[in-house]
Amino acid sequence: MLLQFFKMNGAGNDFILVDNRDLSLTKELDTDTIAALCDRHRGIGADGLLAVEPAQKGADFRFRYYNADGGEAEMCGNGARCFGRFTAHLGEIVLKKVTFETIAGTLAAEMISDDVRIAMSEPKDLKLNSDAKVPGLDATLHFVNTGVPHVVTFLASPEALDEFDVFNHGSAIRHHKAFAPAGTNANFAAVLAPDHISIRTYERGVEDETLACGTGMVASALVHHLLTGAPSPIKVDVEGGDTLEIGFEKSGDQGFKNVTLTGPADFVFEGEIDI
């Protein structure tokens, strides 16, 4: 069977996108097949796969996201921007705005010149100053769910972030008993200016550092605001070299609403692969 696919990237976080609006691919896209497609040596190569399905609750589309290990995840911020741009081009007229259902809630994507702005779901389960400790890491862990679970920790300087062992410390946090059984993504951040931070992210499901993580950017920006009072919007530099923007409004002491993620979502290539 030949599978038609598109390859996109959002700030270096790369994805395979497939059109499954007729649900003909549902049985074909099992865990092993998705993992094989995302394999960078024997497949297409990607941090995850996005499938477009028909909406069930009144939105334009349904968003299905699978990590590179083939497991389905609730949401992906960079993936959502790519999904928004991809679905905006599916009809005869390019749409300026699309809505789609995710496990984390219904989201909206707005095309803004070369960028895509995602209206994110409201963050939940915020916990500053977690008691969790990681051997060899002298830093405070903060937790927030921005569609998927994220730990955020701030390092002393950008130079410390550049030299940081993201893989080993990220893996330790991802599998820490404090965040079991679901596990968590791990973000390591440094302050560049009051309204500007830099982050590196270890992603659950990819099980490695990625060049960018949209929900991780949001989590890091919101924690930065709570720790320092930095105003919206907050700029976030990612390992892929892009700078994205996180907008938000406060709701109570530690709540947020109208959270947005704005950044690039680019088509790379399209093709067919035998599955």
Side-chain angles (χ1 to χ4, degrees):
M1 176 182 175
L2 287 177
L3 173 70
Q4 183 182 21
F5 70 89
F6 293 79
K7 183 75 181 287
M8 296 185 69
N9 89 86
N13 211 185
D14 61 335
F15 308 97
I16 300 163
L17 287 98
V18 296
D19 185 355
N20 191 31
R21 285 177 293 171
D22 62 3
L23 301 180
S24 62
L25 300 174
T26 303
K27 292 183 179 180
E28 306 296 336
L29 294 175
D30 56 30
T31 300
D32 290 341
T33 300
I34 292 170
L37 290 171
C38 292
D39 188 295
R40 296 192 183 277
H41 299 287
R42 294 182 171 89
I44 300 165
D47 292 324
L49 181 143
L50 293 157
V52 183
E53 294 188 359
Q56 299 176 329
K57 301 176 183 178
D60 297 318
F61 305 97
R62 184 184 183 196
F63 168 106
R64 302 291 297 275
Y65 176 64
Y66 303 88
N67 281 313
D69 63 0
E72 187 169 10
E74 303 91 328
M75 226 287 282
C76 172
N78 286 328
R81 292 201 321 281
C82 291
F83 188 93
R85 174 143 284 165
F86 180 71
T87 53
H89 284 78
L90 285 178
E92 294 182 2
I93 299 174
V94 178
L95 302 176
K96 292 294 185 182
K97 188 173 184 179
V98 295
T99 59
F100 45 91
E101 299 158 2
T102 77
I103 296 175
T106 298
L107 307 182
E110 182 181 1
M111 311 306 124
I112 302 175
S113 186
D114 292 333
D115 287 337
V116 180
R117 175 171 293 157
I118 296 292
M120 306 285 288
S121 55
E122 290 189 7
K124 60 182 181 180
D125 302 332
L126 174 68
K127 184 178 181 180
L128 295 180
N129 305 311
S130 167
D131 294 332
K133 301 296 182 183
V134 176
L137 178 60
D138 183 19
T140 302
L141 307 185
H142 313 283
F143 180 85
V144 62
N145 189 313
T146 53
V148 290
H150 279 277
V151 162
V152 178
T153 186
F154 278 84
L155 305 182
S157 67
E159 292 75 22
L161 181 61
D162 289 341
E163 300 171 359
F164 194 73
D165 184 355
V166 169
F167 180 82
N168 285 308
H169 289 306
S171 180
I173 292 172
R174 182 260 188 269
H175 294 286
H176 198 288
K177 64 181 181 180
F179 311 109
T184 184
N185 299 279
N187 304 273
F188 306 96
V191 178
L192 303 176
D195 65 344
H196 197 172
I197 63 174
S198 178
I199 72 167
R200 296 175 65 186
T201 301
Y202 180 99
E203 283 203 53
R204 178 191 66 167
V206 178
E207 306 308 336
D208 203 347
E209 181 177 7
T210 57
L211 294 179
C213 174
T215 50
M217 298 177 217
V218 173
S220 301
L222 298 183
V223 169
H224 176 58
H225 165 77
L226 291 173
L227 295 177
T228 68
S232 173
I234 292 174
K235 296 187 289 294
V236 182
D237 289 1
V238 294
E239 194 69 3
D242 290 288
T243 299
L244 295 90
E245 188 174 275
I246 313 302
F248 56 86
E249 294 179 22
K250 284 295 296 295
S251 177
D253 290 339
Q254 292 191 343
F256 296 92
K257 62 181 181 180
N258 297 329
V259 178
T260 60
L261 168 64
T262 305
D266 302 318
F267 286 96
V268 182
F269 60 86
E270 62 181 289
E272 292 181 335
I273 188 169
D274 188 351
I275 60 171

